[in-house]
Amino acid sequence: MAKNKNQEELEERIDNGVQESISKTEKFIENNGKKLLIVLAALIVVILGVWAIKKYVIDQREVRAGEEMVVCTQYFERDSFNLALNGDGVNAGFLDVIDEYGSTKAGKIAHHYAGVCYYHLGQYDNAIAQLKKVKTKNVDINTVALGLIGDCYADKGDVKEAISYFEKAVAAGNEFTAPTYLKKAALAYETQGNFAKAEECYQTIKDSYPKSQVAVDIDRYLERAKASK
């Protein structure tokens, strides 16, 4: 009986507590209902504002950036790198796209195109500056940018930095790109006289990427590195 009585008292206290909590909530809503509605309305305005910016501002900028890129890429494909980079006086170049739409997807890819243009024009420092800004969701584009930075440093005679970026490209790449940058790193090591590291790179190509195009004649390079140690 005592147990049942205690249980009844406990249930009554819980019930009273719940009712008191509900009552307090109702009172709060009653006293602050207008404020809550204002906060809710403000939240809706913010959400709609973000949606509107995305729909009518950001999306439109993406469209315009893509349109600006059309002529640039046409010049690029014809190896007219100066026109692709700077425009033709009527149509924008990649640098214009970057200045105007740098935050868009097209603008970010324009950094890559600009870097390639500068590389072909022999302006390696400008190429490096552009390529270091390449950060897209496309792993292949990011990898090629790293590799091309390595090419820039190699052409500048900075073999140590070149190797550093070739190795970054290997780490960031896949079975198609990694062998290419391993070979570039190996050749750079050879120019340093570091034939042991060159051999290591060639051996990795032979063992890990035997079906790649780079591996077709890799034995010749491997034997050369071994003989030169």
Side-chain angles (χ1 to χ4, degrees), residues 186-187 190 195 202 219-229:
L187 292 170
E190 286 196 53
F195 296 102
Y202 293 136
D219 284 334
R220 178 164 62 89
Y221 290 92
L222 187 55
E223 290 305 316
R224 184 178 72 187
K226 288 179 179 179
S228 300
K229 284 195 302 182

Side-chain angles (χ1 to χ4, degrees), residues 81-89 91-96 118 121:
F81 298 113
N82 188 54
L83 290 173
L85 191 63
N86 298 297
D88 57 14
N91 299 291
F94 289 123
L95 294 181
D96 297 312
Y118 275 129
L121 293 170

